Amino acid sequence: MKNKLIVIIIILLLLYMIPTLSLSYFENTFSSSEEGPIDIAESIDSIITTDESEIRYIEVYHINSNKVLKLEIEEYIMGVVAAEMPAQFELDALKAQAITARTYLLYKLKKTNTNPEQHTQAPICSGTHCQVYLTKEELIQKFTQTWYDTYWPKIESAVNSTKGQILTYEGKLIEPLFHSTSGGRTENSEDVFTSAAPYLRSVESPYEANSPKLTATITIPIIEFITKLKGSLGENDINATNLKDKISLIEVSEGGKIKTMQIGETIITGRDFRTLYNLNSSNFKLVQNNENIEIITTGYGHGVGMSQYGANGMAIEGFNYRDILKHYYTGIEIMQYN
Protein backbone atom coordinates (compact mmCIF):
# COMPACT_ATOMS: atom_id res chain seq x y z
CA MET A 1 0.00 0.00 0.00
CA LYS A 2 2.83 2.34 0.87
CA ASN A 3 4.61 1.59 -2.44
CA LYS A 4 1.40 2.31 -4.42
CA LEU A 5 1.03 5.65 -2.64
CA ILE A 6 4.63 6.60 -3.54
CA VAL A 7 4.01 5.73 -7.22
CA ILE A 8 0.85 7.82 -7.33
CA ILE A 9 2.68 10.81 -5.79
CA ILE A 10 5.52 10.50 -8.35
CA ILE A 11 3.03 10.40 -11.27
CA LEU A 12 1.22 13.48 -10.00
CA LEU A 13 4.51 15.36 -9.65
CA LEU A 14 5.53 14.48 -13.20
CA LEU A 15 2.20 15.60 -14.61
CA TYR A 16 2.61 18.93 -12.83
CA MET A 17 6.23 19.45 -13.93
CA ILE A 18 6.12 18.39 -17.59
CA PRO A 19 4.50 21.58 -18.93
CA THR A 20 7.02 23.65 -17.03
CA LEU A 21 10.04 21.68 -18.24
CA SER A 22 9.03 21.23 -21.86
CA LEU A 23 10.94 23.57 -24.20
CA SER A 24 8.13 23.50 -26.76
CA TYR A 25 5.33 24.36 -24.35
CA PHE A 26 3.54 27.65 -24.70
CA GLU A 27 -0.19 28.04 -24.30
CA ASN A 28 -1.59 30.29 -27.02
CA THR A 29 -4.96 31.36 -25.64
CA PHE A 30 -6.97 33.96 -27.52
CA SER A 31 -10.34 35.07 -26.26
CA SER A 32 -12.78 37.77 -27.21
CA SER A 33 -14.39 39.66 -24.40
CA GLU A 34 -17.59 39.61 -26.46
CA GLU A 35 -17.69 36.44 -28.53
CA GLY A 36 -15.84 33.85 -26.42
CA PRO A 37 -12.58 31.96 -27.05
CA ILE A 38 -11.22 31.55 -30.55
CA ASP A 39 -8.02 29.68 -31.26
CA ILE A 40 -5.78 31.48 -33.75
CA ALA A 41 -2.54 29.80 -32.70
CA GLU A 42 -1.94 28.67 -36.29
CA SER A 43 -1.69 32.30 -37.38
CA ILE A 44 1.11 33.26 -35.01
CA ASP A 45 2.93 30.04 -34.07
CA SER A 46 6.04 31.16 -35.91
CA ILE A 47 6.36 34.49 -34.09
CA ILE A 48 6.04 33.27 -30.50
CA THR A 49 9.26 32.14 -28.86
CA THR A 50 9.31 29.16 -26.52
CA ASP A 51 11.04 31.19 -23.83
CA GLU A 52 8.27 33.06 -22.02
CA SER A 53 10.74 35.66 -20.70
CA GLU A 54 11.42 36.73 -24.31
CA ILE A 55 7.83 36.98 -25.53
CA ARG A 56 7.41 40.52 -24.22
CA TYR A 57 10.36 41.82 -26.24
CA ILE A 58 11.01 42.50 -29.91
CA GLU A 59 13.96 43.74 -31.92
CA VAL A 60 13.46 46.91 -33.97
CA TYR A 61 15.90 48.26 -36.51
CA HIS A 62 16.13 51.95 -35.59
CA ILE A 63 16.77 53.78 -38.85
CA ASN A 64 18.01 57.08 -37.39
CA SER A 65 20.70 55.48 -35.24
CA ASN A 66 21.37 52.48 -37.49
CA LYS A 67 21.06 50.27 -34.41
CA VAL A 68 18.86 47.37 -33.35
CA LEU A 69 16.80 48.20 -30.27
CA LYS A 70 15.41 45.53 -27.95
CA LEU A 71 12.06 46.85 -26.78
CA GLU A 72 9.23 45.64 -24.62
CA ILE A 73 6.24 45.21 -26.94
CA GLU A 74 3.94 47.69 -25.22
CA GLU A 75 6.76 50.24 -24.98
CA TYR A 76 7.21 49.90 -28.74
CA ILE A 77 3.45 50.34 -29.30
CA MET A 78 3.54 53.59 -27.29
CA GLY A 79 6.29 54.95 -29.54
CA VAL A 80 4.28 54.00 -32.63
CA VAL A 81 1.05 55.61 -31.41
CA ALA A 82 2.93 58.82 -30.53
CA ALA A 83 4.56 58.90 -33.97
CA GLU A 84 1.58 57.86 -36.10
CA MET A 85 -1.36 59.74 -34.56
CA PRO A 86 -1.69 63.26 -33.08
CA ALA A 87 -1.64 62.91 -29.29
CA GLN A 88 -4.29 65.63 -29.05
CA PHE A 89 -6.81 63.15 -30.45
CA GLU A 90 -9.54 61.64 -28.29
CA LEU A 91 -8.49 58.77 -26.03
CA ASP A 92 -10.66 56.23 -27.86
CA ALA A 93 -9.04 57.16 -31.19
CA LEU A 94 -5.61 56.59 -29.59
CA LYS A 95 -6.82 53.24 -28.24
CA ALA A 96 -7.92 52.23 -31.73
CA GLN A 97 -4.49 53.22 -33.06
CA ALA A 98 -2.77 51.22 -30.31
CA ILE A 99 -4.65 48.06 -31.27
CA THR A 100 -3.95 48.51 -34.98
CA ALA A 101 -0.26 49.07 -34.19
CA ARG A 102 -0.10 45.93 -32.04
CA THR A 103 -1.89 43.88 -34.67
CA TYR A 104 0.32 45.20 -37.44
CA LEU A 105 3.40 44.32 -35.41
CA LEU A 106 2.34 40.68 -35.04
CA TYR A 107 1.24 40.55 -38.68
CA LYS A 108 4.57 41.97 -39.82
CA LEU A 109 6.58 39.60 -37.65
CA LYS A 110 4.64 36.66 -39.06
CA LYS A 111 5.15 37.88 -42.62
CA THR A 112 8.86 38.60 -42.08
CA ASN A 113 9.43 35.11 -40.68
CA THR A 114 8.12 33.60 -43.90
CA ASN A 115 9.34 36.26 -46.34
CA PRO A 116 12.24 38.47 -45.18
CA GLU A 117 12.05 41.95 -46.68
CA GLN A 118 14.20 45.07 -46.99
CA HIS A 119 15.87 45.21 -43.57
CA THR A 120 17.74 42.10 -42.42
CA GLN A 121 19.01 43.56 -39.12
CA ALA A 122 15.65 43.00 -37.38
CA PRO A 123 12.17 41.81 -38.37
CA ILE A 124 10.67 45.30 -38.11
CA CYS A 125 12.01 48.83 -38.60
CA SER A 126 11.17 52.28 -37.23
CA GLY A 127 10.32 53.82 -40.61
CA THR A 128 7.40 53.99 -43.00
CA HIS A 129 8.42 50.66 -44.53
CA CYS A 130 6.80 49.14 -41.43
CA GLN A 131 5.17 51.64 -39.09
CA VAL A 132 6.84 54.75 -37.70
CA TYR A 133 8.34 54.43 -34.22
CA LEU A 134 10.00 57.26 -32.28
CA THR A 135 11.99 56.95 -29.07
CA LYS A 136 11.20 59.21 -26.12
CA GLU A 137 14.24 61.32 -26.96
CA GLU A 138 13.07 61.73 -30.56
CA LEU A 139 9.58 62.68 -29.42
CA ILE A 140 10.94 65.38 -27.11
CA GLN A 141 13.19 66.67 -29.89
CA LYS A 142 10.28 66.76 -32.35
CA PHE A 143 7.53 68.06 -30.07
CA THR A 144 9.28 69.62 -27.01
CA GLN A 145 9.48 68.53 -23.38
CA THR A 146 6.19 70.25 -22.58
CA TRP A 147 4.42 68.16 -25.19
CA TYR A 148 5.96 65.01 -23.75
CA ASP A 149 4.98 65.86 -20.17
CA THR A 150 1.45 66.69 -21.29
CA TYR A 151 0.64 63.87 -23.68
CA TRP A 152 2.85 60.89 -22.83
CA PRO A 153 0.62 59.83 -19.88
CA LYS A 154 -2.35 59.88 -22.26
CA ILE A 155 -0.54 57.65 -24.75
CA GLU A 156 0.48 55.28 -21.95
CA SER A 157 -3.15 55.09 -20.86
CA ALA A 158 -4.33 54.29 -24.40
CA VAL A 159 -1.81 51.48 -24.78
CA ASN A 160 -2.00 50.01 -21.28
CA SER A 161 -5.80 49.97 -21.21
CA THR A 162 -5.85 47.91 -24.43
CA LYS A 163 -2.85 45.73 -23.59
CA GLY A 164 -2.81 42.48 -25.54
CA GLN A 165 -5.79 43.36 -27.74
CA ILE A 166 -5.46 42.56 -31.45
CA LEU A 167 -7.67 42.37 -34.54
CA THR A 168 -8.60 39.12 -36.28
CA TYR A 169 -10.80 38.01 -39.13
CA GLU A 170 -12.09 34.43 -39.03
CA GLY A 171 -9.42 33.56 -36.50
CA LYS A 172 -6.50 35.07 -38.43
CA LEU A 173 -4.45 38.18 -37.81
CA ILE A 174 -5.39 40.98 -40.19
CA GLU A 175 -3.21 43.55 -41.90
CA PRO A 176 -4.73 46.68 -40.33
CA LEU A 177 -3.95 49.38 -42.87
CA PHE A 178 -4.70 52.97 -41.92
CA HIS A 179 -4.36 56.45 -43.35
CA SER A 180 -4.88 60.07 -42.36
CA THR A 181 -8.09 61.15 -44.10
CA SER A 182 -10.30 59.24 -46.53
CA GLY A 183 -12.26 62.19 -47.86
CA GLY A 184 -15.65 60.80 -46.89
CA ARG A 185 -15.36 57.14 -47.84
CA THR A 186 -12.57 54.57 -47.53
CA GLU A 187 -11.34 52.30 -50.33
CA ASN A 188 -11.62 48.60 -51.12
CA SER A 189 -8.10 47.21 -50.84
CA GLU A 190 -8.06 45.83 -54.39
CA ASP A 191 -8.83 49.28 -55.82
CA VAL A 192 -5.56 50.60 -54.42
CA PHE A 193 -3.32 47.59 -53.93
CA THR A 194 -3.13 44.20 -55.63
CA SER A 195 -5.43 41.96 -53.60
CA ALA A 196 -8.87 42.03 -52.02
CA ALA A 197 -9.08 41.59 -48.25
CA PRO A 198 -12.58 40.88 -46.87
CA TYR A 199 -11.98 43.15 -43.89
CA LEU A 200 -10.69 46.09 -45.97
CA ARG A 201 -13.98 47.14 -47.57
CA SER A 202 -15.10 50.60 -48.59
CA VAL A 203 -17.13 52.25 -45.81
CA GLU A 204 -18.40 55.74 -45.16
CA SER A 205 -16.19 58.04 -43.09
CA PRO A 206 -18.44 61.00 -42.30
CA TYR A 207 -16.67 62.61 -39.34
CA GLU A 208 -13.53 64.05 -40.95
CA ALA A 209 -14.44 67.74 -40.98
CA ASN A 210 -11.62 68.57 -38.53
CA SER A 211 -8.92 67.17 -40.78
CA PRO A 212 -6.58 69.94 -41.99
CA LYS A 213 -5.95 67.89 -45.14
CA LEU A 214 -9.53 67.07 -46.05
CA THR A 215 -9.02 69.17 -49.19
CA ALA A 216 -5.96 70.80 -50.69
CA THR A 217 -5.06 72.68 -53.87
CA ILE A 218 -1.73 72.93 -55.64
CA THR A 219 -1.07 75.26 -58.57
CA ILE A 220 1.36 74.29 -61.33
CA PRO A 221 2.31 76.32 -64.40
CA ILE A 222 0.89 74.60 -67.50
CA ILE A 223 4.33 74.37 -69.09
CA GLU A 224 5.71 72.57 -66.03
CA PHE A 225 2.64 70.31 -65.87
CA ILE A 226 3.04 69.26 -69.51
CA THR A 227 6.80 68.83 -69.20
CA LYS A 228 6.27 66.32 -66.35
CA LEU A 229 3.66 64.45 -68.36
CA LYS A 230 5.94 64.16 -71.38
CA GLY A 231 8.90 63.16 -69.26
CA SER A 232 6.91 60.38 -67.61
CA LEU A 233 4.62 59.20 -70.40
CA GLY A 234 6.48 60.22 -73.54
CA GLU A 235 3.40 61.94 -74.96
CA ASN A 236 4.75 64.49 -77.46
CA ASP A 237 1.56 65.90 -78.98
CA ILE A 238 0.18 67.48 -75.79
CA ASN A 239 0.22 71.26 -75.47
CA ALA A 240 -1.57 74.01 -73.56
CA THR A 241 -4.22 74.33 -76.27
CA ASN A 242 -5.32 70.69 -76.48
CA LEU A 243 -4.62 69.66 -72.88
CA LYS A 244 -8.29 69.55 -71.85
CA ASP A 245 -9.14 67.25 -74.75
CA LYS A 246 -6.18 64.97 -74.13
CA ILE A 247 -7.08 64.06 -70.54
CA SER A 248 -10.15 61.92 -69.80
CA LEU A 249 -11.41 59.88 -66.88
CA ILE A 250 -11.84 56.11 -67.31
CA GLU A 251 -12.71 54.58 -63.93
CA VAL A 252 -13.43 55.79 -60.40
CA SER A 253 -13.27 53.54 -57.32
CA GLU A 254 -16.12 52.96 -54.88
CA GLY A 255 -14.33 55.28 -52.47
CA GLY A 256 -14.28 58.10 -55.03
CA LYS A 257 -10.63 57.92 -56.06
CA ILE A 258 -9.45 57.83 -59.66
CA LYS A 259 -8.46 54.29 -60.66
CA THR A 260 -7.52 54.93 -64.29
CA MET A 261 -7.38 57.89 -66.66
CA GLN A 262 -6.27 58.41 -70.24
CA ILE A 263 -3.72 61.03 -71.19
CA GLY A 264 -3.21 61.21 -74.92
CA GLU A 265 -2.71 57.62 -76.04
CA THR A 266 -1.57 56.41 -72.61
CA ILE A 267 -3.66 54.91 -69.81
CA ILE A 268 -2.32 55.73 -66.34
CA THR A 269 -3.55 54.85 -62.86
CA GLY A 270 -4.67 57.54 -60.47
CA ARG A 271 -2.08 56.21 -58.04
CA ASP A 272 0.75 56.81 -60.56
CA PHE A 273 -0.57 60.28 -61.37
CA ARG A 274 -0.66 61.04 -57.66
CA THR A 275 2.98 59.97 -57.35
CA LEU A 276 4.02 62.00 -60.39
CA TYR A 277 2.72 65.25 -58.90
CA ASN A 278 3.17 64.33 -55.23
CA LEU A 279 -0.53 64.72 -54.45
CA ASN A 280 -2.22 64.10 -51.09
CA SER A 281 -4.48 61.43 -52.58
CA SER A 282 -5.71 59.99 -55.87
CA ASN A 283 -9.08 61.66 -55.38
CA PHE A 284 -8.43 64.78 -57.44
CA LYS A 285 -9.72 67.02 -60.17
CA LEU A 286 -7.90 69.29 -62.61
CA VAL A 287 -8.82 72.88 -63.39
CA GLN A 288 -7.08 74.77 -66.20
CA ASN A 289 -6.89 78.44 -65.30
CA ASN A 290 -5.07 80.84 -67.64
CA GLU A 291 -1.42 79.81 -67.50
CA ASN A 292 -1.79 77.40 -64.61
CA ILE A 293 -3.26 74.03 -63.71
CA GLU A 294 -4.95 73.67 -60.32
CA ILE A 295 -5.05 70.16 -58.86
CA ILE A 296 -7.65 69.90 -56.10
CA THR A 297 -7.38 66.82 -53.90
CA THR A 298 -9.78 65.34 -51.36
CA GLY A 299 -8.41 63.20 -48.53
CA TYR A 300 -4.86 62.34 -47.53
CA GLY A 301 -3.25 58.93 -47.93
CA HIS A 302 -4.12 55.70 -49.73
CA GLY A 303 -7.61 55.58 -48.21
CA VAL A 304 -7.62 51.89 -47.22
CA GLY A 305 -8.61 50.78 -43.70
CA MET A 306 -8.99 53.12 -40.76
CA SER A 307 -9.15 56.85 -41.34
CA GLN A 308 -7.34 58.44 -38.39
CA TYR A 309 -9.24 61.72 -38.56
CA GLY A 310 -12.41 59.74 -39.12
CA ALA A 311 -11.63 57.70 -36.02
CA ASN A 312 -11.11 60.85 -33.99
CA GLY A 313 -14.34 62.29 -35.35
CA MET A 314 -16.20 59.15 -34.30
CA ALA A 315 -14.69 59.40 -30.81
CA ILE A 316 -15.81 63.03 -30.55
CA GLU A 317 -19.31 61.87 -31.48
CA GLY A 318 -19.27 59.38 -28.59
CA PHE A 319 -18.24 56.14 -30.30
CA ASN A 320 -15.73 53.99 -28.39
CA TYR A 321 -12.64 52.34 -29.80
CA ARG A 322 -14.47 49.06 -30.43
CA ASP A 323 -17.09 50.90 -32.48
CA ILE A 324 -14.34 52.63 -34.44
CA LEU A 325 -12.38 49.48 -35.25
CA LYS A 326 -15.44 47.44 -36.19
CA HIS A 327 -16.61 50.24 -38.46
CA TYR A 328 -13.40 50.59 -40.44
CA TYR A 329 -12.43 46.88 -40.50
CA THR A 330 -15.39 44.88 -41.79
CA GLY A 331 -16.28 41.68 -39.95
CA ILE A 332 -13.32 41.70 -37.55
CA GLU A 333 -13.13 40.57 -33.92
CA ILE A 334 -11.17 42.31 -31.17
CA MET A 335 -9.30 39.54 -29.40
CA GLN A 336 -7.30 39.40 -26.18
CA TYR A 337 -4.16 37.30 -26.28
CA ASN A 338 -2.48 36.03 -23.12
PDB file of all heavy atoms in Angstrom, residues 90 92 207 311-321 323-324:
ATOM      1  N   GLU A  90      -8.768  62.240 -29.371  1.00  0.00           N
ATOM      2  CA  GLU A  90      -9.542  61.638 -28.290  1.00  0.00           C
ATOM      3  C   GLU A  90      -8.910  60.318 -27.855  1.00  0.00           C
ATOM      4  O   GLU A  90      -8.298  59.610 -28.662  1.00  0.00           O
ATOM      5  CB  GLU A  90     -10.977  61.384 -28.754  1.00  0.00           C
ATOM      6  CG  GLU A  90     -11.756  62.641 -29.096  1.00  0.00           C
ATOM      7  CD  GLU A  90     -12.049  63.485 -27.870  1.00  0.00           C
ATOM      8  OE1 GLU A  90     -12.568  62.931 -26.876  1.00  0.00           O
ATOM      9  OE2 GLU A  90     -11.752  64.695 -27.901  1.00  0.00           O
ATOM     10  N   ASP A  92     -10.199  57.427 -27.166  1.00  0.00           N
ATOM     11  CA  ASP A  92     -10.656  56.227 -27.860  1.00  0.00           C
ATOM     12  C   ASP A  92     -10.055  56.101 -29.257  1.00  0.00           C
ATOM     13  O   ASP A  92      -9.870  54.987 -29.753  1.00  0.00           O
ATOM     14  CB  ASP A  92     -12.185  56.191 -27.912  1.00  0.00           C
ATOM     15  CG  ASP A  92     -12.783  55.555 -26.666  1.00  0.00           C
ATOM     16  OD1 ASP A  92     -12.764  54.318 -26.570  1.00  0.00           O
ATOM     17  OD2 ASP A  92     -13.227  56.293 -25.776  1.00  0.00           O
ATOM     18  N   TYR A 207     -17.045  61.659 -40.392  1.00  0.00           N
ATOM     19  CA  TYR A 207     -16.670  62.609 -39.340  1.00  0.00           C
ATOM     20  C   TYR A 207     -15.236  63.110 -39.504  1.00  0.00           C
ATOM     21  O   TYR A 207     -14.424  63.044 -38.587  1.00  0.00           O
ATOM     22  CB  TYR A 207     -16.837  61.950 -37.972  1.00  0.00           C
ATOM     23  CG  TYR A 207     -18.240  61.439 -37.715  1.00  0.00           C
ATOM     24  CD1 TYR A 207     -18.489  60.076 -37.611  1.00  0.00           C
ATOM     25  CD2 TYR A 207     -19.314  62.314 -37.590  1.00  0.00           C
ATOM     26  CE1 TYR A 207     -19.772  59.591 -37.377  1.00  0.00           C
ATOM     27  CE2 TYR A 207     -20.597  61.855 -37.359  1.00  0.00           C
ATOM     28  CZ  TYR A 207     -20.813  60.491 -37.257  1.00  0.00           C
ATOM     29  OH  TYR A 207     -22.084  60.030 -37.039  1.00  0.00           O
ATOM     30  N   ALA A 311     -11.574  58.353 -37.330  1.00  0.00           N
ATOM     31  CA  ALA A 311     -11.630  57.698 -36.020  1.00  0.00           C
ATOM     32  C   ALA A 311     -11.775  58.720 -34.907  1.00  0.00           C
ATOM     33  O   ALA A 311     -12.567  58.551 -33.966  1.00  0.00           O
ATOM     34  CB  ALA A 311     -10.373  56.849 -35.807  1.00  0.00           C
ATOM     35  N   ASN A 312     -11.011  59.807 -35.012  1.00  0.00           N
ATOM     36  CA  ASN A 312     -11.112  60.846 -33.987  1.00  0.00           C
ATOM     37  C   ASN A 312     -12.481  61.513 -34.025  1.00  0.00           C
ATOM     38  O   ASN A 312     -13.070  61.827 -32.982  1.00  0.00           O
ATOM     39  CB  ASN A 312     -10.018  61.890 -34.182  1.00  0.00           C
ATOM     40  CG  ASN A 312      -9.898  62.834 -33.000  1.00  0.00           C
ATOM     41  OD1 ASN A 312      -9.774  62.393 -31.855  1.00  0.00           O
ATOM     42  ND2 ASN A 312      -9.937  64.127 -33.250  1.00  0.00           N
ATOM     43  N   GLY A 313     -13.007  61.722 -35.230  1.00  0.00           N
ATOM     44  CA  GLY A 313     -14.340  62.291 -35.352  1.00  0.00           C
ATOM     45  C   GLY A 313     -15.402  61.400 -34.731  1.00  0.00           C
ATOM     46  O   GLY A 313     -16.333  61.887 -34.066  1.00  0.00           O
ATOM     47  N   MET A 314     -15.262  60.085 -34.916  1.00  0.00           N
ATOM     48  CA  MET A 314     -16.200  59.146 -34.298  1.00  0.00           C
ATOM     49  C   MET A 314     -16.109  59.222 -32.775  1.00  0.00           C
ATOM     50  O   MET A 314     -17.123  59.195 -32.072  1.00  0.00           O
ATOM     51  CB  MET A 314     -15.921  57.723 -34.776  1.00  0.00           C
ATOM     52  CG  MET A 314     -16.348  57.437 -36.201  1.00  0.00           C
ATOM     53  SD  MET A 314     -16.126  55.695 -36.684  1.00  0.00           S
ATOM     54  CE  MET A 314     -17.394  54.888 -35.677  1.00  0.00           C
ATOM     55  N   ALA A 315     -14.875  59.317 -32.256  1.00  0.00           N
ATOM     56  CA  ALA A 315     -14.685  59.403 -30.807  1.00  0.00           C
ATOM     57  C   ALA A 315     -15.328  60.674 -30.250  1.00  0.00           C
ATOM     58  O   ALA A 315     -15.948  60.651 -29.184  1.00  0.00           O
ATOM     59  CB  ALA A 315     -13.192  59.352 -30.473  1.00  0.00           C
ATOM     60  N   ILE A 316     -15.178  61.773 -30.983  1.00  0.00           N
ATOM     61  CA  ILE A 316     -15.809  63.031 -30.550  1.00  0.00           C
ATOM     62  C   ILE A 316     -17.326  62.877 -30.498  1.00  0.00           C
ATOM     63  O   ILE A 316     -17.999  63.427 -29.613  1.00  0.00           O
ATOM     64  CB  ILE A 316     -15.410  64.176 -31.504  1.00  0.00           C
ATOM     65  CG1 ILE A 316     -13.914  64.504 -31.349  1.00  0.00           C
ATOM     66  CG2 ILE A 316     -16.255  65.425 -31.244  1.00  0.00           C
ATOM     67  CD1 ILE A 316     -13.391  65.481 -32.378  1.00  0.00           C
ATOM     68  N   GLU A 317     -17.862  62.088 -31.424  1.00  0.00           N
ATOM     69  CA  GLU A 317     -19.314  61.873 -31.479  1.00  0.00           C
ATOM     70  C   GLU A 317     -19.802  60.868 -30.436  1.00  0.00           C
ATOM     71  O   GLU A 317     -20.996  60.594 -30.351  1.00  0.00           O
ATOM     72  CB  GLU A 317     -19.710  61.391 -32.879  1.00  0.00           C
ATOM     73  CG  GLU A 317     -19.560  62.450 -33.962  1.00  0.00           C
ATOM     74  CD  GLU A 317     -20.502  63.618 -33.756  1.00  0.00           C
ATOM     75  OE1 GLU A 317     -21.670  63.382 -33.414  1.00  0.00           O
ATOM     76  OE2 GLU A 317     -20.058  64.775 -33.933  1.00  0.00           O
ATOM     77  N   GLY A 318     -18.876  60.280 -29.668  1.00  0.00           N
ATOM     78  CA  GLY A 318     -19.271  59.382 -28.586  1.00  0.00           C
ATOM     79  C   GLY A 318     -19.066  57.907 -28.856  1.00  0.00           C
ATOM     80  O   GLY A 318     -19.383  57.063 -28.003  1.00  0.00           O
ATOM     81  N   PHE A 319     -18.525  57.544 -30.014  1.00  0.00           N
ATOM     82  CA  PHE A 319     -18.239  56.143 -30.299  1.00  0.00           C
ATOM     83  C   PHE A 319     -16.980  55.722 -29.545  1.00  0.00           C
ATOM     84  O   PHE A 319     -16.038  56.504 -29.405  1.00  0.00           O
ATOM     85  CB  PHE A 319     -18.031  55.930 -31.796  1.00  0.00           C
ATOM     86  CG  PHE A 319     -19.249  56.176 -32.633  1.00  0.00           C
ATOM     87  CD1 PHE A 319     -19.480  57.419 -33.209  1.00  0.00           C
ATOM     88  CD2 PHE A 319     -20.181  55.170 -32.841  1.00  0.00           C
ATOM     89  CE1 PHE A 319     -20.605  57.657 -33.988  1.00  0.00           C
ATOM     90  CE2 PHE A 319     -21.310  55.388 -33.616  1.00  0.00           C
ATOM     91  CZ  PHE A 319     -21.523  56.637 -34.185  1.00  0.00           C
ATOM     92  N   ASN A 320     -16.938  54.477 -29.060  1.00  0.00           N
ATOM     93  CA  ASN A 320     -15.732  53.991 -28.386  1.00  0.00           C
ATOM     94  C   ASN A 320     -14.803  53.297 -29.376  1.00  0.00           C
ATOM     95  O   ASN A 320     -15.128  53.142 -30.560  1.00  0.00           O
ATOM     96  CB  ASN A 320     -16.087  53.072 -27.209  1.00  0.00           C
ATOM     97  CG  ASN A 320     -16.799  51.800 -27.642  1.00  0.00           C
ATOM     98  OD1 ASN A 320     -16.498  51.212 -28.683  1.00  0.00           O
ATOM     99  ND2 ASN A 320     -17.751  51.353 -26.844  1.00  0.00           N
ATOM    100  N   TYR A 321     -13.649  52.879 -28.891  1.00  0.00           N
ATOM    101  CA  TYR A 321     -12.637  52.337 -29.795  1.00  0.00           C
ATOM    102  C   TYR A 321     -13.092  51.062 -30.477  1.00  0.00           C
ATOM    103  O   TYR A 321     -12.710  50.769 -31.616  1.00  0.00           O
ATOM    104  CB  TYR A 321     -11.309  52.123 -29.062  1.00  0.00           C
ATOM    105  CG  TYR A 321     -11.262  50.973 -28.086  1.00  0.00           C
ATOM    106  CD1 TYR A 321     -10.840  49.720 -28.484  1.00  0.00           C
ATOM    107  CD2 TYR A 321     -11.621  51.150 -26.746  1.00  0.00           C
ATOM    108  CE1 TYR A 321     -10.783  48.662 -27.585  1.00  0.00           C
ATOM    109  CE2 TYR A 321     -11.569  50.108 -25.847  1.00  0.00           C
ATOM    110  CZ  TYR A 321     -11.151  48.867 -26.268  1.00  0.00           C
ATOM    111  OH  TYR A 321     -11.094  47.814 -25.385  1.00  0.00           O
ATOM    112  N   ASP A 323     -16.223  50.425 -31.402  1.00  0.00           N
ATOM    113  CA  ASP A 323     -17.091  50.898 -32.484  1.00  0.00           C
ATOM    114  C   ASP A 323     -16.250  51.348 -33.682  1.00  0.00           C
ATOM    115  O   ASP A 323     -16.569  51.044 -34.839  1.00  0.00           O
ATOM    116  CB  ASP A 323     -17.950  52.074 -32.017  1.00  0.00           C
ATOM    117  CG  ASP A 323     -18.873  51.725 -30.861  1.00  0.00           C
ATOM    118  OD1 ASP A 323     -19.365  50.586 -30.823  1.00  0.00           O
ATOM    119  OD2 ASP A 323     -19.094  52.599 -29.996  1.00  0.00           O
ATOM    120  N   ILE A 324     -15.200  52.084 -33.389  1.00  0.00           N
ATOM    121  CA  ILE A 324     -14.343  52.632 -34.442  1.00  0.00           C
ATOM    122  C   ILE A 324     -13.700  51.513 -35.254  1.00  0.00           C
ATOM    123  O   ILE A 324     -13.762  51.501 -36.495  1.00  0.00           O
ATOM    124  CB  ILE A 324     -13.260  53.541 -33.830  1.00  0.00           C
ATOM    125  CG1 ILE A 324     -13.895  54.790 -33.214  1.00  0.00           C
ATOM    126  CG2 ILE A 324     -12.215  53.936 -34.877  1.00  0.00           C
ATOM    127  CD1 ILE A 324     -12.961  55.595 -32.329  1.00  0.00           C
TER     128      ILE A 324
END
